[in-house]
Structure formats: C-alpha cells, structure tokens
Amino acid sequence: METPLPGVAGADSLLGEVEEAEAALRAAADRALDGPASFDAVIAADQKIEPRDMMPDAYRAGLVRQIAQHAHSEIIGMQPEGNWISRAPTLRRKAILLAKVQDEAGHGLYLYAAAETLGVSREELDQALLTGKQKYSSIFNYPTLSWADVGAIGWLVDGAAIVNQVPLCRCSYGPYARAMIRVCKEESFHQRQGYQSLYVLAQGTPEQRAMAQDAVDRWWYPSLAMFGPPDADSTHSAQSMAWKVKRFSNDELRQRFVDMCVPQAEILGLTLPDPDLRWNDERGHYDYTSPDFDELMRVVKGDGPCNRQRMAHRNRAYADGAWVREASAAYAAKQQSKRKELVTA
Ligand code: BYC
C-alpha cells in the first residue's frame, strides 16, 4: 500500500520559479539586442552571453571554475547513493534509486557540455577532477550509513541543491542557464522522492523512525554547509553577483533553505537537530545555528570522512572506462572517414 505524500511546502513555488526563468529565457532570445552589443550592455540589459560573444577572461575562467565544480559534484554525487542500489529494501525502491543516480550522471553531462562551450575540453575537465586540481561539493564526502540516508539526501541535499540552483536558471551565461532549467526540474522530482521515502520511514516502526531521525541529524549541518562560506568570507560572490552569474549570496540562500525545511520537517514529524531554531518575527525568518565552517574548509581541502574513498573510486572507474572511450573514439573516426569518402566519391 502506498503512503500518500503530503504537500512539500515551499517546493512548488521553487518549481514555479524555474518555469518563470524558462519563459524569461525565451523572451530574452526574442528581444535580443540589435547588432553587436558590448559585454557590459548585455549584462546590464539582463540578456544572455552566448559562447561566441566577447567576454572578459575572468568571466570565462570564473564560469569554467563553477560549472566544472558543479559537473564534478554531480558525478561524484552518484557514489553515496549508489552505495545503496544493491541493498534497497524493495524492487520498487531499487528502480527509483537507479533512475535517480542515472539522472545525476545526466546532469554531469549537461554541465560538462556547458563548460566545453567556454573552450575547455572534456579531457581537461576529467583530468582536473582526477588530479584534485578542481573540487566538488563538500557534501559528497560524508558516508551513507543507513537506508534512511537515501531519503535524507533526497530531501535535504537535493532540496539545498534546488534552492541554490533555481536562481542559476537566470544566470547570465546562456548554456549554463539552459542546463539549469532541466536540472532543476529533475532535482525537484528527486527531492520529492527523498521526502516521500523519509515520510514512509517516519510513519513506520519505532526502529524505522529512529533511523530516519538519525539520518536527518547527520545530514542537516553538512547540507547547510553546501551553500558555501558566510558572505563575509566568500571570495567570489561580489564579482559573480556583479556579472549576474550568482543572483543571491550564500547566506541568503542558506536562510531560504532553512525557512523551507522547517515546515517540511513538521509534516515529516522529524526534528531538525538545532535547539536554537526558532521563528524571528522581526526578521521574518527562522533563526538557526550556522554549520561549522572550519569543518567545511577542512572537507573542501580533502580531509573529510570520505574524500580519499571518493577520489580512489572515481580514478578506478575512469581507468576501467578507458576501453569505452577508445572504442567510441575509434567508431567516431570510422564514421568520419566514411562521410569523407561519400563527399569525395
Ligand atoms: N563544497 O567564494 P565562494 C547535486 C569553495 S550537486 C566545496 O563562496 P562561490 C547533487 C568555492 O568553490 C550540486 N567547495 O564560492 C548531485 C571556493 O573555492 P575555489 C552542487 C565549496 O563559487 C548528486 C571557496 O570555497 N552544486 O545537487 O561564489 C546527488 C570560496 O567560496 C563549497 C553546485 O555546484 C562547498 N559546499 O560559491 C544529489 C552549485 N562552498 O573555487 C545532489 C554551483 C564553497 O576558489 N555552485 N566552496 O577553490 C555554486 O553555486 C557556488 O560555486 C557555491 C560557492 C555556492 C557552491
């Protein structure tokens, strides 16, 4: 018997924002500025910068940094949940989890393709991840200890990802904004599946309920840390916001996430592990305890509970996939020479 899913308060309005951003993207294409416009004029007019447009080197480099890290996060992010595919409690849950993890691979591919439009190759991006030159989100360096972690990741990690990524649907770089629209629609679905899975556990036996609570206790602060350092310590925010890549600061988005999660936790009947979490009438927001930002920086620098394991697994998978890359390159070369023969015949 399927448990009916109560409303995911706040999630519908985020999906509405994605749809508005999609409509705005279409409208922007219709009223593109006449003739060649300067980079600053395009940004000021809230139009999109496209791959062949002139752009400052630092804008290009900043985008490569963020989009590549984002793509790497999607790919590394397959590991913690992938850990439970073979141990999902039912065939239905296994099929759902398989599809979700596969979606994350797809997100990685959209994002690598967006980064490639900026003049970097896939091989360079792969090497930057494999050698540790480029990073990925801190959140994926934490272990998935129980089945409930899959639900907590869907609810909290995908939830934080949507809050962070919905504004990126209005980012000034066209290929990134377009990729984000598709990603956000899928992430929104992922969040609902995590929420539903946790809801079932929270309504279950005392052991299942305790398992769900334990997962929420462990994933809450790492999810808050996903939004990055506090605004005062954020090195890229000011420039990124001036270029309309980022639309809101790290702390603004973190607050938005907290405000969204509190009513959702009440529906789930689970407690967020923060004794100081309470509504502040004056601010119109929940007050909350910040995550440990020293821990965030330690994890980003490579010293989290699973950094070594994640990178070792990724390097192994890359090496194991060498024959697939060779075979597809050989096939592409064969097709190209066939096309050449046809043209010259
Ligand atoms: N983890 O100046 P700041 C997913 C770094 S995957 C690691 O504020 P910025 C999913 C930051 O990079 C979703 N590093 O940076 C997949 C910078 O270092 P560098 C992943 C972090 O860029 C599978 C330094 O700290 N989402 O949804 O303005 C299953 C200073 O920070 C983190 C994205 O990638 C962190 N948490 O803002 C389930 C979103 N925080 O580069 C789900 C796209 C900060 O100078 N990215 N750093 O060495 C962004 O929106 C922004 O890059 C951030 C950081 C908000 C993350």
Side-chain angles (χ1 to χ4, degrees):
M1 225 346 233
E2 195 156 316
T3 314
L5 180 65
V8 191
D12 290 337
S13 74
L14 283 174
L15 202 52
E17 275 182 52
V18 176
E19 271 150 21
E20 275 167 31
E22 192 173 19
L25 252 175
R26 287 207 199 94
D30 288 346
R31 60 179 162 74
L33 298 174
D34 287 335
S38 73
F39 174 83
D40 289 339
V42 173
I43 298 289
D46 235 339
Q47 297 284 334
K48 299 296 165 201
I49 300 291
E50 295 297 340
R52 286 165 205 256
D53 293 343
M54 289 287 290
M55 59 184 99
D57 289 346
Y59 177 82
R60 186 186 296 275
L63 277 170
V64 169
R65 176 191 69 84
Q66 178 166 328
I67 302 174
Q69 285 187 11
H70 194 165
H72 301 328
S73 304
E74 301 282 358
I75 297 302
I76 298 284
M78 294 163 74
Q79 292 185 37
E81 288 175 284
N83 181 32
W84 282 91
I85 291 173
S86 61
R87 290 176 287 160
T90 65
L91 188 57
R92 181 169 162 271
R93 291 284 178 204
K94 189 197 285 275
I96 292 171
L97 185 56
L98 260 175
K100 189 206 180 229
V101 171
Q102 189 172 304
D103 279 356
E104 308 300 353
H107 296 172
L109 296 185
Y110 308 157
L111 286 159
Y112 282 130
E116 284 176 273
T117 66
L118 290 157
V120 276
S121 69
R122 180 73 65 84
E123 181 59 19
E124 285 171 289
L125 294 167
D126 283 341
Q127 289 309 321
L129 170 65
L130 297 170
T131 57
K133 193 171 147 220
Q134 283 172 349
K135 302 283 191 283
Y136 55 87
S137 179
S138 51
I139 193 78
F140 302 115
N141 292 308
Y142 290 87
T144 40
L145 303 179
S146 79
W147 166 251
D149 287 25
V150 169
I153 290 180
W155 177 42
L156 294 173
V157 176
D158 288 270
I162 307 171
V163 170
N164 167 266
Q165 289 170 29
V166 165
L168 292 173
C169 296
R170 293 192 296 114
C171 143
S172 58
Y173 188 57
Y176 193 25
R178 288 189 287 272
M180 279 299 102
I181 286 181
R182 205 157 157 183
V183 168
C184 283
K185 286 185 181 175
E186 292 176 2
E187 295 287 24
S188 164
F189 195 66
H190 292 173
Q191 193 218 8
R192 280 153 205 261
Q193 76 65 46
Y195 183 78
Q196 195 268 349
S197 175
L198 267 192
Y199 184 76
V200 170
L201 291 175
Q203 308 295 310
T205 63
E207 288 80 6
Q208 286 172 321
R209 204 187 147 64
M211 185 167 74
Q213 184 61 58
D214 172 62
V216 170
D217 290 348
R218 283 181 290 104
W219 288 94
W220 174 245
Y221 285 105
S223 299
L224 290 185
M226 279 176 78
F227 294 91
D231 292 350
D233 300 336
S234 168
T235 39
H236 302 292
S237 280
Q239 183 60 78
S240 194
M241 284 171 79
W243 279 332
K244 298 184 180 167
V245 172
K246 257 171 133 162
R247 296 289 185 151
F248 297 98
S249 75
N250 298 355
D251 287 331
E252 283 170 325
L253 292 176
R254 196 171 359 252
Q255 179 73 63
R256 193 174 179 183
F257 176 67
V258 171
D259 292 348
M260 187 180 92
C261 286
V262 175
Q264 293 177 356
E266 277 165 18
I267 295 171
L268 288 173
L270 296 172
T271 310
L272 294 172
D274 180 357
D276 295 325
L277 192 62
R278 63 181 58 88
W279 180 253
N280 181 326
D281 238 348
E282 222 167 88
R283 295 198 313 118
H285 293 290
Y286 284 92
D287 289 337
Y288 66 96
T289 307
S290 291
D292 178 348
F293 291 115
D294 292 336
E295 176 179 322
L296 168 66
M297 284 307 142
R298 275 199 308 278
V299 174
V300 171
K301 287 191 182 127
D303 208 14
C306 299
N307 296 59
R308 288 164 198 80
Q309 182 186 333
R310 301 289 183 241
M311 287 309 297
H313 184 90
R314 186 68 219 129
N315 272 284
R316 215 166 35 242
Y318 188 79
D320 287 349
W323 69 271
V324 179
R325 289 189 299 279
E326 279 162 26
S328 40
Y331 181 75
K334 200 161 127 191
Q335 293 300 103
Q336 201 180 12
S337 72
K338 268 195 196 158
R339 268 197 302 275
K340 263 196 203 140
E341 273 169 31
L342 274 176
V343 171
T344 50

